[in-house]
Amino acid sequence: MNPTIRAVIDTAALRHNLGRVRELAPRSKVLAVIKANAYGHGSVPSAVALAGADGFAVARLEEAVALRAAGLRHRIVLLEGVFGTDGLRQAAHHRLDLCVHEPEQLAMLDAWRGDHEFSVWVKVDTGMNRLGFKPAQFPRALSRLSACAAVAKPLTLVTHLANADDRDDATTREQLDLFGRLTAGVPGERSIANSAGTLGWEASRADWVRPGLMLYGVSPFSDTTGQGLGLRPAMRLETTVIAVKDVEAGERVGYGGAWTAPRRSRLAVAAAGYGDGYPRNTPSGTPVLVNEQRAELVGRVSMDMITIDVTHLPRVLVGDVVVLWGGGVPVEQVARAAGTIPYELICGVSQRVHLDVR
Ligand SMILES: Cc1ncc(COP(=O)(O)O)c(C=O)c1O
């Protein structure tokens, strides 16, 4: 029996999207960002599908260890680096590249006495004000790392863009200029672009691009979908109808009676709710597909169920397939309706959703 709710993962779409990155950035190496369970797509199967990338990036040590345990031998970069000697020991054991963004991490590397040389991606904060050495600290960080016996040379020089998803925002240009000034004459490869940089800012496609979202076929820009950018959505979240019922005009539906039937209506109850990662604040009117035909969510999303107005559809039966996003329902559209971003929806698919990797 099919599991009630499943995220169908299209590995051919992942490969296609990697190909799109290669087209856009033919001179760059690709560090495929597969943190957070590959944005909900399953980290190991996604890594296997994206094996043509030049390396992988994850946020946390455990994510990298899981990839090594699955036999992946690519370069793996820990985007947050490690803290503490135990983390460093594990990074050495699993041959992980480290992002270094913090003075404590410099001290830790200085104190390292093992024989492993770490490949280091040193990060400068050019305006994001999250991770990275401040511009004033950066030259000192570079000279300490250059003098550190535990660090392989040359370093890779990294920054992260804060606003690249807004093609009119001057911040990206300022970040690129500052990064250029701070790294002028410093040996080593450069890495700047996330998906929005890769797609929208040619000057950010340096030696390494670091796409995440676009690999999953989703747009980082709010005015278009992945499809509009030549990408193919890799996740289809689908479930089944578990009840069909009629309500009279004026009857209220679901918790809080948040939707009132404007006419005699037929409703399909589908097995999906915020317990699966379908956001509770998704409003009435948000599109879904029932048997590949468009219908609308009505009433409040509960933990395990949603209600869909199927009055206009010919015959809807228990067991029919409902698509919540992917295919004809762009996740970007659902995210906008729910007042969030597509990153949050795909990453937020919960553990009880079966990943059906194809
Ligand atoms: C440092 C870094 N690089 C690249 C990415 C990939 O970003 P995106 O998914 O927008 O392509 C992320 C994701 O948040 C990141 O933190």
Side-chain angles (χ1 to χ4, degrees), residues 4-41:
T4 315
I5 181 161
R6 55 214 169 261
V8 181
I9 306 302
D10 179 353
T11 50
L14 293 173
R15 284 192 296 275
H16 167 87
N17 298 330
L18 176 59
R20 185 81 186 102
V21 174
R22 296 270 187 217
E23 266 170 35
L24 286 160
R27 283 179 292 281
S28 306
K29 285 183 267 188
V30 179
L31 190 70
V33 180
I34 56 168
K35 60 195 169 113
N37 199 26
Y39 292 42
H41 294 65

Coordinates of all heavy atoms in Angstrom, one line a residue, residues 4-41:
T4 N 0.2 7.2 3.0 CA -0.9 8.2 2.8 C -0.3 9.5 2.2 O -0.8 10.0 1.2 CB -1.6 8.5 4.1 OG1 -1.8 7.2 4.7 CG2 -2.9 9.2 3.9
I5 N 0.8 10.0 2.9 CA 1.4 11.2 2.4 C 2.8 10.9 2.0 O 3.5 10.2 2.8 CB 1.2 12.4 3.4 CG1 1.8 13.6 2.8 CG2 1.7 12.1 4.8 CD1 1.3 14.9 3.4
R6 N 3.2 11.4 0.9 CA 4.6 11.2 0.5 C 5.2 12.4 -0.3 O 4.4 13.1 -0.9 CB 4.6 9.9 -0.4 CG 3.7 10.1 -1.6 CD 3.1 8.7 -2.0 NE 2.0 8.9 -3.0 CZ 0.7 9.0 -2.6 NH1 0.3 8.8 -1.4 NH2 -0.3 9.2 -3.5
A7 N 6.5 12.5 -0.1 CA 7.2 13.5 -0.9 C 7.9 12.7 -2.0 O 8.8 12.0 -1.7 CB 8.2 14.3 -0.1
V8 N 7.4 12.9 -3.2 CA 8.0 12.2 -4.4 C 9.2 13.0 -4.9 O 9.1 14.2 -5.2 CB 7.0 11.9 -5.5 CG1 7.6 11.2 -6.6 CG2 5.8 11.2 -4.9
I9 N 10.4 12.4 -4.8 CA 11.6 13.1 -5.2 C 12.1 12.6 -6.6 O 12.3 11.4 -6.8 CB 12.7 12.9 -4.1 CG1 12.2 13.2 -2.7 CG2 14.0 13.6 -4.5 CD1 11.7 14.6 -2.5
D10 N 12.2 13.6 -7.5 CA 12.6 13.3 -8.8 C 14.1 13.5 -9.0 O 14.5 14.6 -9.2 CB 11.7 14.2 -9.7 CG 12.0 14.1 -11.2 OD1 12.9 13.3 -11.6 OD2 11.3 14.7 -12.0
T11 N 14.8 12.4 -9.0 CA 16.3 12.6 -9.0 C 16.8 13.1 -10.4 O 17.8 13.7 -10.5 CB 17.0 11.2 -8.7 OG1 16.4 10.2 -9.5 CG2 16.8 10.9 -7.2
A12 N 16.0 12.8 -11.4 CA 16.3 13.3 -12.8 C 16.2 14.8 -12.7 O 17.0 15.5 -13.4 CB 15.4 12.7 -13.8
A13 N 15.2 15.3 -12.0 CA 15.1 16.8 -11.9 C 16.3 17.4 -11.2 O 16.9 18.4 -11.5 CB 13.8 17.2 -11.1
L14 N 16.8 16.7 -10.1 CA 18.0 17.2 -9.4 C 19.2 17.3 -10.4 O 19.9 18.3 -10.4 CB 18.4 16.3 -8.2 CG 17.4 16.2 -7.1 CD1 17.8 15.1 -6.1 CD2 17.3 17.6 -6.4
R15 N 19.3 16.2 -11.2 CA 20.5 16.2 -12.2 C 20.3 17.3 -13.2 O 21.2 18.0 -13.6 CB 20.6 14.8 -12.8 CG 21.2 13.8 -11.9 CD 21.6 12.5 -12.7 NE 20.4 11.9 -13.2 CZ 19.7 11.0 -12.5 NH1 20.0 10.7 -11.3 NH2 18.6 10.5 -13.1
H16 N 19.0 17.5 -13.7 CA 18.8 18.5 -14.6 C 19.2 19.9 -14.0 O 19.8 20.7 -14.7 CB 17.3 18.5 -15.0 CG 16.8 19.8 -15.7 ND1 16.9 19.9 -17.1 CD2 16.4 21.0 -15.3 CE1 16.5 21.1 -17.5 NE2 16.2 21.8 -16.4
N17 N 18.8 20.1 -12.8 CA 19.0 21.4 -12.2 C 20.5 21.7 -12.0 O 21.0 22.8 -12.1 CB 18.3 21.6 -10.8 CG 16.8 21.5 -11.1 OD1 16.3 21.8 -12.1 ND2 16.1 20.9 -10.1
L18 N 21.3 20.6 -11.7 CA 22.7 20.7 -11.6 C 23.3 21.1 -13.0 O 24.2 22.0 -13.1 CB 23.3 19.4 -11.1 CG 24.9 19.4 -11.1 CD1 25.4 20.5 -10.2 CD2 25.4 18.0 -10.6
G19 N 22.7 20.5 -14.0 CA 23.1 20.9 -15.4 C 22.8 22.4 -15.7 O 23.6 23.0 -16.3
R20 N 21.7 22.9 -15.1 CA 21.4 24.3 -15.3 C 22.4 25.2 -14.6 O 22.8 26.2 -15.1 CB 20.0 24.5 -14.7 CG 19.4 25.8 -14.9 CD 18.8 26.0 -16.3 NE 18.4 27.4 -16.5 CZ 19.0 28.4 -17.1 NH1 20.2 28.0 -17.8 NH2 18.6 29.6 -17.2
V21 N 22.9 24.7 -13.5 CA 24.0 25.5 -12.8 C 25.2 25.5 -13.6 O 25.9 26.5 -13.8 CB 24.3 24.9 -11.4 CG1 25.5 25.6 -10.7 CG2 23.1 24.9 -10.5
R22 N 25.5 24.4 -14.2 CA 26.7 24.3 -15.0 C 26.6 25.2 -16.3 O 27.6 25.8 -16.7 CB 26.9 22.8 -15.5 CG 27.2 21.8 -14.4 CD 28.7 21.7 -14.2 NE 29.0 20.7 -13.2 CZ 30.0 20.8 -12.3 NH1 30.7 21.8 -12.2 NH2 30.2 19.8 -11.5
E23 N 25.4 25.3 -16.8 CA 25.2 26.2 -18.0 C 25.4 27.6 -17.6 O 26.0 28.4 -18.3 CB 23.7 26.1 -18.4 CG 23.4 25.1 -19.5 CD 21.9 25.0 -19.7 OE1 21.2 26.0 -19.5 OE2 21.5 23.9 -19.9
L24 N 24.9 28.0 -16.4 CA 25.0 29.4 -16.0 C 26.4 29.7 -15.6 O 26.8 30.9 -15.7 CB 24.0 29.6 -14.8 CG 22.6 29.7 -15.1 CD1 21.7 29.4 -13.9 CD2 22.2 31.1 -15.7
A25 N 27.1 28.8 -15.0 CA 28.4 29.1 -14.4 C 29.4 28.0 -14.9 O 30.0 27.2 -14.2 CB 28.3 29.0 -12.9
P26 N 29.7 28.1 -16.3 CA 30.5 27.0 -16.8 C 32.0 27.0 -16.4 O 32.6 26.0 -16.4 CB 30.5 27.3 -18.4 CG 30.0 28.7 -18.5 CD 29.2 29.1 -17.3
R27 N 32.4 28.1 -15.8 CA 33.8 28.2 -15.4 C 33.9 27.9 -13.9 O 35.0 28.0 -13.3 CB 34.5 29.5 -15.8 CG 34.8 29.5 -17.3 CD 35.5 30.8 -17.7 NE 34.5 31.9 -17.6 CZ 33.6 32.1 -18.5 NH1 33.5 31.4 -19.6 NH2 32.7 33.1 -18.4
S28 N 32.8 27.7 -13.2 CA 32.9 27.6 -11.7 C 32.8 26.1 -11.4 O 32.1 25.3 -12.1 CB 31.7 28.3 -11.1 OG 31.7 29.7 -11.5
K29 N 33.4 25.8 -10.3 CA 33.1 24.5 -9.7 C 31.8 24.6 -8.8 O 31.4 25.7 -8.4 CB 34.2 24.0 -8.8 CG 35.4 23.5 -9.6 CD 36.6 23.0 -8.8 CE 37.5 24.1 -8.5 NZ 38.8 23.7 -7.9
V30 N 31.1 23.5 -8.6 CA 29.8 23.5 -8.0 C 29.9 22.8 -6.6 O 30.2 21.6 -6.5 CB 28.7 22.9 -8.8 CG1 27.4 22.9 -8.1 CG2 28.6 23.6 -10.2
L31 N 29.6 23.6 -5.6 CA 29.5 23.0 -4.2 C 28.0 22.9 -4.0 O 27.3 24.0 -3.7 CB 30.2 24.0 -3.2 CG 30.3 23.5 -1.8 CD1 31.4 22.4 -1.8 CD2 30.8 24.6 -0.9
A32 N 27.5 21.7 -4.1 CA 26.0 21.6 -3.9 C 25.6 21.6 -2.5 O 26.2 20.8 -1.7 CB 25.6 20.2 -4.6
V33 N 24.7 22.5 -2.1 CA 24.4 22.7 -0.7 C 23.2 21.7 -0.4 O 22.1 21.8 -0.9 CB 24.0 24.2 -0.4 CG1 23.6 24.3 1.0 CG2 25.1 25.1 -0.8
I34 N 23.5 20.8 0.4 CA 22.6 19.7 0.7 C 22.3 19.6 2.3 O 22.1 18.5 2.8 CB 23.0 18.3 0.1 CG1 24.4 17.9 0.6 CG2 23.0 18.4 -1.4 CD1 24.7 16.5 0.2
K35 N 22.5 20.7 2.9 CA 22.2 20.7 4.4 C 20.7 20.5 4.6 O 19.9 20.5 3.7 CB 22.7 22.1 5.0 CG 22.0 23.3 4.4 CD 22.8 24.5 4.8 CE 22.3 25.7 4.0 NZ 21.6 26.8 4.8
A36 N 20.3 20.4 5.9 CA 18.9 20.2 6.3 C 18.2 19.1 5.4 O 17.2 19.3 4.8 CB 18.2 21.5 6.2
N37 N 18.9 17.9 5.4 CA 18.4 16.8 4.7 C 18.1 17.1 3.3 O 17.1 16.7 2.7 CB 17.1 16.3 5.4 CG 16.7 14.9 5.0 OD1 17.6 14.1 4.7 ND2 15.4 14.6 5.0
A38 N 19.1 17.8 2.7 CA 19.0 18.3 1.3 C 17.6 19.0 1.1 O 16.8 18.7 0.2 CB 19.1 17.2 0.3
Y39 N 17.5 20.0 2.0 CA 16.3 20.9 1.9 C 15.0 20.0 1.9 O 14.0 20.3 1.1 CB 16.3 21.8 0.7 CG 17.4 22.9 0.7 CD1 18.6 22.7 1.1 CD2 17.1 24.2 0.2 CE1 19.6 23.7 1.1 CE2 18.0 25.2 0.2 CZ 19.3 24.9 0.6 OH 20.3 25.9 0.6
G40 N 15.0 18.9 2.7 CA 13.9 18.1 2.8 C 13.8 16.9 1.7 O 12.9 16.1 1.8
H41 N 14.8 16.9 0.8 CA 14.7 15.9 -0.3 C 15.4 14.6 0.0 O 15.5 13.7 -0.8 CB 15.3 16.5 -1.6 CG 14.5 17.6 -2.1 ND1 14.4 18.8 -1.4 CD2 13.8 17.8 -3.3 CE1 13.6 19.6 -2.1 NE2 13.2 19.0 -3.3

